[in-house]
Amino acid sequence: MTTQESAEPVDGGQVLAAAGGLSYPVAPGYRVKVRKGPGTGYPVVRRLAEGARIEIRCQRRGERVSGPYGTSDIWDSIGPGQYISDTYVHTGSDGMVAPRCMG
């Protein structure tokens, strides 16, 4: 079953820059939920600011969800215990662009 990950569309906001390395933009107009694991059943730990750019540490397969960039089961780890659906990140690829998360 495909789930729509409910990110909040917003009109404006601030830019959250990645700490360093390669960063990717989050879909414009959304405050994306950051979850504790790779699925919508995991608790929300925070929300990204509209216009955020994120650094993907690693990626893993999880719940299949739909977002502005399609439908996928790829989840991006942006920090320890922090995942967002890859369907909200413009990576320029339908596949993985970072190493697979271990563990």
Side-chain angles (χ1 to χ4, degrees):
M1 179 175 175
T2 300
T3 304
Q4 177 91 23
E5 168 65 351
S6 57
E8 259 179 47
V10 293
D11 294 327
Q14 56 186 315
V15 173
L16 174 68
L22 189 57
S23 67
Y24 299 94
V26 172
Y30 290 91
R31 292 191 60 216
V32 178
K33 294 176 182 177
V34 179
R35 296 185 175 274
K36 193 167 186 100
T40 59
Y42 289 90
V44 175
V45 295
R46 65 186 176 109
R47 291 180 192 263
L48 297 177
E50 191 275 328
R53 293 185 68 86
I54 55 104
E55 186 174 334
I56 301 172
R57 297 166 45 117
C58 62
Q59 294 177 300
R60 71 181 320 152
R61 301 281 180 187
E63 180 182 353
R64 190 168 187 78
V65 298
S66 294
Y69 297 121
T71 300
S72 177
D73 65 350
I74 298 173
W75 287 74
D76 304 332
S77 173
I78 62 171
Q82 298 180 51
Y83 291 87
I84 63 173
S85 170
D86 194 60
T87 63
Y88 285 87
V89 182
H90 189 275
T91 63
S93 172
D94 287 338
M96 292 195 171
V97 298
R100 201 174 284 275
C101 298
M102 303 306 286

